[in-house]
Amino acid sequence: MKFCDLNTNCETLNLSREQVADAFGDYWVNNYSQKVYGHLYKIHKNAKDFLMAMDKVHYDLTKKMENARPPRFEYEQIDDKTLIMHYKSQRGMIDFMIGLIKGVGKFYNENLEVEKLSEDKVKIVFKGKI
Ligand code: HEM
């Protein structure tokens, strides 16, 4: 049996890497992390505030984890509704980042347009409550 790696499609499930990443992101944000990190969602009132906190959350949370190499994010605010997140990691998991961002949009009942601009840049347009 073959599992998805980062460069091939998932032959077992016959899904693309993007589809697997979206399914993972939805499950991780809306199920698993609600049980473990629910408090972090409660203190932020919308998807943008939550995403803006993610660099610090990853940095702070992994400080004491041995061998952790958290992704780092830099933020470029284009206007009130448009944010570019710069992704800094050796792991090349930007498709998973995108899946997680979509999961965050769903959690806050917001319509997000999420577009990969390059392997280290994602544009997010916040289009309001669903
Ligand atoms: C409650 C919220 C979150 C927590 C507590 C959290 C925590 C973590 C932790 C502990 C890791 C492993 C780091 C390591 O092994 O060094 C990780 C990996 C990752 N996180 Fe999060 N995360 C959260 C939400 C998000 C969101 C919303 C995004 C998207 C913007 C995201 C993007 C990623 C990515 C892409 C990785 C894979 C590792 C890499 O790219 O280098 N996370 N996260």
Side-chain angles (χ1 to χ4, degrees):
M1 189 162 80
K2 190 175 186 319
F3 191 60
C4 306
D5 64 36
L6 292 174
N7 299 310
T8 60
N9 287 346
C10 180
E11 290 167 12
T12 308
L13 295 170
N14 202 24
L15 295 171
S16 69
R17 175 156 49 124
E18 287 83 358
Q19 287 172 310
V20 172
D22 284 357
F24 171 82
D26 184 11
Y27 180 79
W28 199 87
V29 169
N30 291 296
N31 292 277
Y32 176 77
S33 78
Q34 294 306 320
K35 294 176 196 137
V36 188
Y37 300 113
H39 60 285
L40 290 174
Y41 293 86
K42 289 205 185 81
I43 59 176
H44 297 103
K45 56 187 184 314
N46 57 47
K48 191 174 171 193
D49 285 359
F50 184 83
L51 291 172
M52 295 290 291
M54 282 301 106
D55 181 61
K56 189 168 164 30
V57 165
H58 283 81
Y59 180 76
D60 288 349
L61 204 92
T62 55
K63 259 191 224 160
K64 293 198 175 117
M65 288 182 188
E66 215 180 316
N67 299 323
R69 281 180 295 119
R72 300 300 306 264
F73 306 110
E74 281 169 16
Y75 301 94
E76 201 182 326
Q77 297 241 35
I78 305 300
D79 57 39
D80 264 11
K81 295 191 182 328
T82 314
L83 176 70
I84 294 179
M85 280 180 79
H86 295 249
Y87 168 63
K88 311 237 175 263
S89 167
Q90 301 298 316
R91 295 195 184 104
M93 294 178 73
I94 195 158
D95 293 327
F96 285 81
M97 172 181 172
I98 289 170
L100 288 157
I101 292 170
K102 289 178 183 169
V104 170
K106 180 173 163 184
F107 175 79
Y108 287 101
N109 289 316
E110 288 180 39
N111 204 346
L112 304 188
E113 189 183 292
V114 188
E115 184 190 348
K116 177 156 81 173
L117 299 179
S118 64
E119 288 307 314
D120 61 1
K121 248 187 259 178
V122 179
K123 180 172 141 192
I124 305 149
V125 183
F126 299 88
K127 303 178 99 173
K129 285 273 178 195
I130 293 168

